[in-house]
Every structure is written in structure tokens, then in C-alpha cells.
Amino acid sequence: MVQVVVNNRFRPGLARSMSPLSQTGICVIDLAGLSVDDAVRLTARQAIAAYKHAYYDPSDVDDLVARLARERGEELDLACFFNDRRIEVRDLVAGPPPTAEQVRAALPCATFEWTRRLDTSFERMFTHIEDVPDTMAITLAGDTHFMSPDDLEAVVRGMEAVAVEAALDPAATTGVRAS
């Protein structure tokens, strides 16, 4: 489960709004046993559905989460967010996919750095994907009361490993198992 950030300006009547207009939509995806390609396709469909239906009264969500937590007898943690901030959607069909040699050659170009530390956190984990010329940047913000810095770095490196594995072996599975 992840919450996706939805830009709601595309709805009729909202395009001329002079304020930030975004909400989160809950996106639940079962990736167990899927190839990475199938997981990406399923995720795209589920995210679009979440984007389409991300119009609700936030207090209603709070009430629903509280009710479900009582019914299940456990806290529901919805504090994981994903925000695709890419301005341009790249046309992946425009050229041939990179060869295994090109992927391996690009690996040393990948970097990881801690950019800043905040004394307060707004969410437990927030992932942003952004366009950077000729590449993509992943920014991960996390609350170290819930995830250690090593765990946060492992999330980013895990995302890279899955992308590389998929590029080298398109039939590779996501590594997610049914629980």
C-alpha cells in the first residue's frame, strides 16, 4: 500500500484555481510473483485508478481509518507516499532499450547522497521521482524514528537493483512474495 500524490487540476472547473490542488490516493498493489514488466503495468493501472478517485473529504478518511483499525484490532499505517514529479513522460518506445552492456556501464554513474537533515518530519516515508536531464532522480525523505538511515538508503538501492535486474533480465520477478 502506498499513497500517491494526485494533481487534481485536470478536473473541469479546477484548471484555473490559484492554489495548490493535490490530494493523496490510496494505491494497493499485490506484486507477488509478478515479473517486473507485469508489476509496472499493474502499478500504472492501479495508480491511474487512484489518481481518478482521489477526491474525498480528508476527515472522512480519518474516520474510516480509525474505524478499520478498531475492527481489525491494529493500527493502520498509511504514512508511505509516492510522488511522481516528472514533468515530461518519456517516450520509452522512441528508441531501442539499452543493452546489458550499456546498463552495466551506467552503474558507476549512479550516486547516493544525504542532502539535508530536518529535526521534524512530515511523514514516515515520502518518495519523489523527478526528471533530471538524461537521467532520473529518486528523492526519499524518511522519519528515522521509524526507519534507520541505513534502511532508507537500502530502499533507494533496492529500487535501483530491481530496475537493473529488469533491464538485464526482462523476465525477472519483483522478488515480492505473497504473505
Side-chain angles (χ1 to χ4, degrees):
M1 191 290 301
V2 67
Q3 292 193 69
V4 292
V5 177
V6 181
N7 170 357
N8 290 336
R9 289 189 188 279
F10 64 88
R11 290 286 193 184
L14 298 178
R16 300 175 104 182
S17 174
M18 296 300 289
S19 66
L21 240 129
S22 63
Q23 275 186 275
T24 57
I26 294 175
C27 191
V28 178
I29 310 160
D30 183 0
L31 302 175
L34 296 180
S35 70
V36 173
D37 284 351
D38 288 341
V40 168
R41 279 190 284 277
L42 177 60
T43 300
R45 283 195 309 267
Q46 295 294 91
I48 288 170
Y51 294 151
K52 180 179 178 184
H53 299 289
Y55 293 90
Y56 53 86
D57 181 337
S59 63
D60 290 344
V61 172
D62 293 342
D63 294 343
L64 175 64
V65 169
R67 181 178 59 81
L68 290 172
R70 281 192 309 275
E71 290 173 6
R72 295 175 66 162
E74 63 184 333
E75 179 186 350
L76 299 179
D77 185 353
L78 304 179
C80 182
F81 296 84
F82 179 82
N83 188 10
D84 186 346
R85 298 195 296 197
R86 293 175 296 168
I87 295 172
E88 294 181 22
V89 176
R90 297 172 189 212
D91 184 1
L92 299 176
V93 185
T99 65
E101 292 76 27
Q102 290 171 314
V103 171
R104 286 188 190 97
L107 285 174
C109 299
T111 61
F112 177 89
E113 65 179 292
W114 293 106
T115 57
R116 65 183 166 158
R117 176 188 169 153
L118 302 173
D119 290 330
T120 59
S121 175
F122 58 95
E123 295 299 344
R124 292 184 184 178
M125 190 171 90
F126 213 117
T127 306
H128 302 279
I129 305 295
E130 302 170 272
D131 273 330
V132 176
D134 298 321
T135 191
M136 179 185 300
I138 300 171
T139 303
L140 184 71
D143 185 335
T144 55
H145 290 96
F146 299 96
M147 295 179 74
S148 72
D150 288 343
D151 289 341
L152 291 165
E153 181 176 347
V155 168
V156 175
R157 295 203 182 275
M159 291 171 73
E160 177 187 48
V162 167
V164 168
E165 183 179 343
L168 297 176
D169 180 7
T173 62
T174 60
V176 175
R177 291 183 214 107
S179 54

